[in-house]
């Protein structure tokens, strides 16, 4: 963290709390940061800037929001083509933005996700992929 009042200094800190859900308007998460270096010259009202560097980097698959069906909290479903058949597959949702869904598990990079007509599929139907 850097503070306007201490322009040349940087202070070590850790993220002590992360909001459970993102702000619906900005898509950002509120965090609470705890300073590890306490300076006796700190006063209430200092304006600071924090740079947060994650200790672990996660990789997610991203799909357009309209490909997700029956979503409830962090779980949703997609329809995956399997030859001339399909399966409804459970996915774990990490984040939803205005038009994209970030997925931690349930699909692989090689899966063919059915995007058009998935709402009309029935268990006994055969499908034909048109690209």
């Amino acid at each position: 963290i850097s503070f306007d009042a201490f322009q040349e200094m940087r202070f070590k800190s850790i993220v002590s709390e992360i909001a459970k859900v993102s702000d619906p308007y900005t898509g950002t998460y509120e965090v609470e940061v705890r300073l590890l270096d306490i300076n006796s010259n700190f006063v209430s009202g200092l304006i600071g800037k924090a740079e947060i560097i994650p200790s672990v980097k996660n990789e997610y698959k991203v799909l357009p929001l309209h490909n997700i069906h029956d979503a409830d909290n962090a779980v949703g479903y997609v329809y995956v083509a399997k030859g001339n058949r399909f399966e409804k597959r459970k996915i774990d949702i990490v984040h939803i933005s205005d038009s994209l869904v970030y997925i931690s598990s349930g699909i692989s990079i090689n899966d063919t996700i059915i995007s058009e007509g998935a709402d009309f599929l029935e268990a006994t139907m055969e499908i034909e992929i048109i690209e």
Side-chain angles (χ1 to χ4, degrees):
I1 297 182
S2 61
F3 293 96
D4 293 346
F6 304 99
Q7 291 185 9
E8 299 301 319
M9 300 176 74
R10 298 218 182 240
F11 299 90
K12 289 188 178 191
S13 61
I14 60 169
V15 174
S16 57
E17 275 189 56
I18 302 175
K20 299 281 186 217
V21 295
S22 65
D23 181 293
Y25 300 107
T26 64
T28 59
Y29 288 82
E30 287 190 23
V31 297
E32 185 174 298
V33 179
R34 184 173 357 126
L35 286 166
L36 299 176
D37 302 328
I38 303 297
N39 186 316
S40 61
N41 294 325
F42 284 164
V43 294
S44 179
L46 285 177
I47 298 196
K49 179 181 176 184
E51 180 181 356
I52 300 174
I53 302 168
S55 58
V56 175
K57 292 186 180 187
N58 297 315
E59 292 186 16
Y60 302 111
K61 287 130 189 114
V62 180
L63 288 175
L65 184 58
H66 70 271
N67 287 352
I68 310 305
H69 302 273
D70 304 325
D72 184 19
N73 289 324
V75 173
Y77 294 87
V78 294
Y79 290 93
V80 179
K82 293 286 189 183
N84 64 348
R85 308 296 279 176
F86 68 92
E87 69 179 34
K88 184 177 182 180
R89 189 163 318 154
K90 178 182 166 189
I91 56 167
D92 295 314
I93 299 171
V94 176
H95 177 72
I96 299 175
S97 70
D98 290 339
S99 61
L100 299 173
V101 178
Y102 297 80
I103 302 164
S104 61
S105 65
I107 59 172
S108 74
I109 194 84
N110 297 320
D111 286 332
T112 301
I113 307 299
I114 300 171
S115 60
E116 299 295 326
D119 292 329
F120 304 104
L121 293 174
E122 295 178 15
T124 59
M125 288 182 164
E126 288 187 4
I127 61 170
E128 179 181 350
I129 301 298
I130 301 172
E131 295 189 34

